[in-house]
Amino acid sequence: MEPAAGGMRPGLAAALAVVGFGALAICGLGVLSLVSGSDVIAVRGLTPIPGAAAFAAAVIGLAATLAATLRRPHPSYAIAAVAAVVTLLAHLSTLGVAAVVVGVDPARALAAVGAFAVSWFAVVLGGSAAVAGWTAVALVRTRARPPHWGWEDDEDR
């Protein structure tokens, strides 16, 4: 599908936004963990697998949301809020399910989900998804061009 206003194609915009989300979220979570001195998922007995599965689900949730919404004729910037909510819900639900699958008792799995949901880490993850969603919409809606110097068209020189 062609972009509505001469912007970037929706699939490419979604791909760039998802890659940007991954980089921004990993950096933000790492810096917040370093500054606060706490783990992103701080529950004893929880292996790294649920956290990795939850982050992968967040990426997939964001990608699915952007792929479904950017193809509309004139996508709204409200997609950023939808992307943040879907990304957080995908992360939290997968974190709980994956924790139970790896053998953690349900109470600890629920504790991991609850602790993440009310932490600054959730704000960083949701904010990163919102930035990625807004960026994807901007890439599709705008007619931005690369920089162009006046002398680049001069064929006489």
Side-chain angles (χ1 to χ4, degrees):
M1 175 177 207
E2 290 298 316
M8 188 177 286
R9 294 175 193 247
L12 181 59
L16 288 174
V18 169
V19 169
F21 162 74
L24 186 60
I26 289 170
C27 178
L29 293 172
V31 168
L32 181 58
S33 178
L34 181 66
V35 169
S36 68
S38 60
D39 292 332
V40 176
I41 302 171
V43 173
R44 285 183 195 227
L46 196 64
T47 65
I49 293 170
F55 192 81
V59 170
I60 291 168
L62 177 66
T65 301
L66 293 179
T69 56
L70 289 178
R71 299 203 183 280
R72 294 183 183 152
H74 194 71
S76 170
Y77 284 102
I79 290 170
V82 173
V85 169
V86 168
T87 301
L88 275 172
L89 290 176
H91 186 277
L92 293 172
S93 60
T94 305
L95 178 61
V97 170
V100 171
V101 167
V102 297
V104 174
D105 64 85
R108 284 185 190 230
L110 186 59
V113 170
F116 187 87
V118 298
S119 70
W120 286 106
F121 295 110
V123 174
V124 168
L125 190 71
S128 299
V131 167
W134 187 92
T135 303
V137 173
L139 288 172
V140 170
R141 286 180 58 167
T142 61
R143 287 179 270 219
R145 296 182 331 171
H148 187 75
W149 295 101
W151 64 78
E152 290 179 330
D153 289 333
D154 192 4
E155 297 294 327
D156 297 334
R157 293 184 191 196

